[in-house]
Amino acid sequence: MALLRRRRVSLVTRQLLRLVLLHTAWEVGSGQVRYSVPEESKHGTFVGRLAQDLELEVAELVSRMFRMVSNSRRDYFEVNLQTGVLFVNSRIDREELCGQSPLCAIDLEVIVDKPLRIFHVEVEIQDINDNAPVFLVQAQNLVISESRLLGSRFPLEGASDADIGTNSLLTYKLSLNNYFTLDVQVKNYHSTLAELVLKKPLDREEIPEHRLLFTATDGGKPELTGTVQLVITVLDANDNAPVFNQSVYEVSLLENAGHGTLVITLNATDLDEGINKDISYSFSDLLPFSVRKLFSIDADTGEIRLKGEVDYEVKTLYEIRVEARDKSPFPLAGHCNVLVEILDINDNAPELTITSHSLPVPEDAPPGTVVSLISVSDRDSGDNGKVTCSIPPNLPFQLVSTFKNYHSLVLAEAVDRERVSEYKILVTAGDEGTPSLSASSSILVPIADVNDNAPAFPQPVYRVFMKENNPPGAHLFTLSASDPDLRENAFVSYSVVERSVGEQPLSSYISVHSESGHIYALQPFDYEELEVLQFQVSARDAGFPSLCGNVTVQLFVLDENDNAPAVSPAGSGRGSPGPELVPLSAGAGHVVGKIRAVDADSGYNAWLRYEVQEPRAAGPFRVGVYSGEISTTRALEEADGPSQRLVILVKDHGEPALSATATVSLSLVESPQAVKWDSRQRGGSEGPLVDMNVSLMIAICSVSGLFVLVIVVYVGLRCHPGPEVMCGPGKATVACSSEVASWSYSQRQSRNLCVGEGTAKNDLMVFSPNSSGNVGIEKPQQELTLKSSAAVSHMTESLFGNVFML
């Protein structure tokens, strides 16, 4: 008995030391917060002040969307959001939850938003002594021959206790009797063998049957007990029982072993002879059915073979009680235990569970933002159960191990929705077994748009051409800006950047439709007042904050022939003037006067042509086609009459052409006199001529230099065509190829020359500058067109004719 007590103390000491070591290892590897609670605790039992221990404000639990995720199938715990206290929500049965595992804990994931944070909480379920030892049967029947020697041993079927630790540490005792004692041997951590020892010879004639009470007591407080009745039948005769060469056999078996695999071959011997020596092997009658359906034994050879499928994840150890019985009419039996340890193989792939998402991810989310929580598990053990988690490379995400088999999918670098709108991430979990098994799961991570792109126009400057005298509300042009963002961030509205045009605001000239980008003219344009209107249009999106982009629009007003030529007055007063005096001595080519006319238009529309309205009535006079000079065609004669009346028609080159007329009266006299002439037009007036020699010299030099310059430029442009060029200081008046496809030289203080690409004609049109009232007699633009050698002759005649006239 002293030896039994020492063995019990040694067993208890080893178990306690093992529990302490396991508990210490668990404590080191636990999460941020750890609690413990006894099993079978009632609903509402206080577990811990979770919010306080996690350093969370209780008032913020609801606003930060406090939630708790458990790895168990039931919600055993709940948190009071008003106090932050963790309490028991439902009954916890440790044996149902963890079975015989020495450590039993429920992992909780506490998640809060704004910002997203994750806390790991472990709640240890403490075992209480709520299960009494249980025997498989109510009575154990033993048959013992009266010839058995003193000290013979008879193994007894022990009890089982669903608790763990000291609560499952069983001690046995036998009711008082004179024939038997109890011997308990601890074979190893998994097996305790209780044997009935014969201490006094049996006499069947005296007592044919013995009834004893076999009691098992656990180590809990308070102690719980279980009992079974031992019914011992005393037999006569055969006094040698079969004996195994060892009482406990330990074998290992892979969990993938096939049907018929040999587990072990048992061998028992019997010292008797004859039929008393022949042995038959069988399983103990007390062997559970769950073990019988997995293993079979050959009665003659003692071979134990596998006939079912064993799974390490279901059970790791099987204890088989084998009986060897001789074939005597009064058989004796020997017993042994076979411990079959199931070895794990890598037959379970890892399992992936995605427990939480923070989707979609804004494209301006900073690196480190948690996207999803991933938990992995593997039912295998050892290296077969060690799992590594990975995602494909070259993605802006990474996996961060947070707690045990928990990983966080976080943003590793900035993302751009306009480049990639969503990511399909394949998460792969692989174990370290041989061969390795893996599992994968896809996570679709959409990227949410933010307003990070301003509207943009396809080009920075638009050039729009519009004829003057357009109707109010005429459509000029349509602008379109693009924004790669989504929804309101990509909704573009247009507006004009307000400025002043002269004394009027820009909004009085044009307007832009805010949604379509159509540009409309609010009033008719007049080329003579405004040739180029430059303004900016802004495109703004509807994001917050909104972004905008600008574009410059240059509106070129094209001239139309809407101004008729106007003849400059030559006399004083109104009404019909007196005749102009022409000396009879004038020879052919004598200039007697000049018609001066102006046209407010430009280009061809301002290019004037002079001709006599009735050529037959002109007599010995003619008018210069482009100079307007009236000269004689021959020497004058008395037969020409005392006076002549010429009607001069001044016509521009517009389409349709506009014209004006002037009436000139000429009187032939004997002596030369100062020439006076009239210019008559409907509603016209008269003015005196002023002669200035200094102005004459300036005009001669200017016209000659201008002529040479035009010829040089023309030849250079013909030889070296180039792209459109803007040049010149001051207020730039841009002259480009227009509908008449000519090169124009504008009459302004800043003179710019533009060469248009792809013109249909090779014309060069030059407008002479305005002359003051004291220098010249032509105020409007005078045009000279060079189309051929004939055009050059006309231009020479016009230029030098004006000079000589001056």
Side-chain angles (χ1 to χ4, degrees), residues 464-470 525-528 530-532 555-562 602 605 734 736-740:
V464 182
F465 297 91
M466 184 69 183
K467 289 185 177 181
E468 63 175 333
N469 302 320
N470 56 282
F525 292 103
D526 189 354
Y527 174 83
E528 288 71 38
L530 182 64
E531 295 183 14
V532 179
L555 175 61
F556 293 90
V557 182
L558 302 179
D559 181 52
E560 284 191 332
N561 194 25
D562 57 346
S602 65
N605 297 329
V734 180
C736 298
S737 59
S738 61
E739 293 180 342
V740 297

Side-chain angles (χ1 to χ4, degrees), residues 167 195 221 277 290 332 376 407 411 429 672 682 738 752 774:
N167 294 330
E195 293 180 318
K221 292 183 179 181
K277 186 178 181 179
S290 60
L332 298 178
V376 294
H407 298 79
L411 191 64
R682 297 181 182 92
S738 61
N752 301 328
N774 296 328

Side-chain angles (χ1 to χ4, degrees), residues 416-449:
D416 186 1
R417 188 207 63 82
E418 287 71 40
R419 185 171 60 90
V420 180
S421 60
E422 65 179 14
Y423 293 88
K424 187 175 183 180
I425 304 174
L426 183 67
V427 182
T428 302
D431 58 31
E432 298 182 9
T434 303
S436 176
L437 299 179
S438 63
S440 60
S441 179
S442 294
I443 303 176
L444 188 63
V445 181
I447 307 300
D449 182 54

Side-chain angles (χ1 to χ4, degrees), residues 724-765:
E724 182 177 358
V725 178
M726 288 281 192
C727 58
K731 176 185 176 184
T733 302
V734 180
C736 298
S737 59
S738 61
E739 293 180 342
V740 297
S742 65
W743 293 327
S744 303
Y745 184 83
S746 177
Q747 172 200 345
R748 290 294 181 267
Q749 294 300 324
S750 176
R751 291 164 170 76
N752 301 328
L753 183 63
C754 290
V755 181
E757 295 180 358
T759 56
K761 299 181 181 180
N762 295 327
D763 299 342
L764 180 65
M765 182 178 293

Side-chain angles (χ1 to χ4, degrees), residues 383-442:
D383 291 340
N384 298 332
K386 293 180 181 179
V387 181
T388 58
C389 207
S390 63
I391 60 175
N394 302 323
L395 289 176
F397 301 91
Q398 65 179 2
L399 283 177
V400 178
S401 180
T402 56
F403 171 71
K404 288 185 178 179
N405 290 330
Y406 286 88
H407 298 79
S408 295
L409 180 65
V410 301
L411 191 64
E413 58 187 59
V415 292
D416 186 1
R417 188 207 63 82
E418 287 71 40
R419 185 171 60 90
V420 180
S421 60
E422 65 179 14
Y423 293 88
K424 187 175 183 180
I425 304 174
L426 183 67
V427 182
T428 302
D431 58 31
E432 298 182 9
T434 303
S436 176
L437 299 179
S438 63
S440 60
S441 179
S442 294

